[in-house]
Amino acid sequence: MSNVVALSQNGRIAGAWKHCDGFSDIEFTFSVTNGELSVSVVDAYDGEMPEIYDVHWNESQTEIS
């Protein structure tokens, strides 16, 4: 396929994500800078942004803890 883009292991999750239930306005943004994963969250309805801390990436289980 000509439109396949190879991503680094850390880059697989990078981008903006939101719930697909049709009701939630919560948006998650994942980015990787210098090998470090960062996460931000915003409630698009009212702009509220909770504090996110102690983010850890588990490559073997491909999960954030």
Side-chain angles (χ1 to χ4, degrees):
M1 299 177 122
S2 62
N3 61 349
V4 174
V5 177
L7 297 174
S8 71
Q9 293 293 76
N10 290 349
R12 291 182 291 188
I13 196 168
W17 300 73
K18 65 184 296 182
H19 288 281
C20 59
D21 62 7
F23 300 104
S24 178
D25 290 320
I26 303 296
E27 298 176 357
F28 301 85
T29 302
F30 300 90
S31 59
V32 179
T33 305
N34 297 326
E36 293 292 320
L37 179 67
S38 64
V39 180
S40 62
V41 180
V42 64
D43 183 338
Y45 178 75
D46 61 9
E48 184 177 358
M49 298 177 70
E51 181 181 357
I52 307 296
Y53 56 91
D54 292 334
V55 177
H56 302 281
W57 174 253
N58 183 331
E59 181 61 34
S60 65
Q61 295 181 354
T62 59
E63 69 182 13
I64 295 176
S65 59

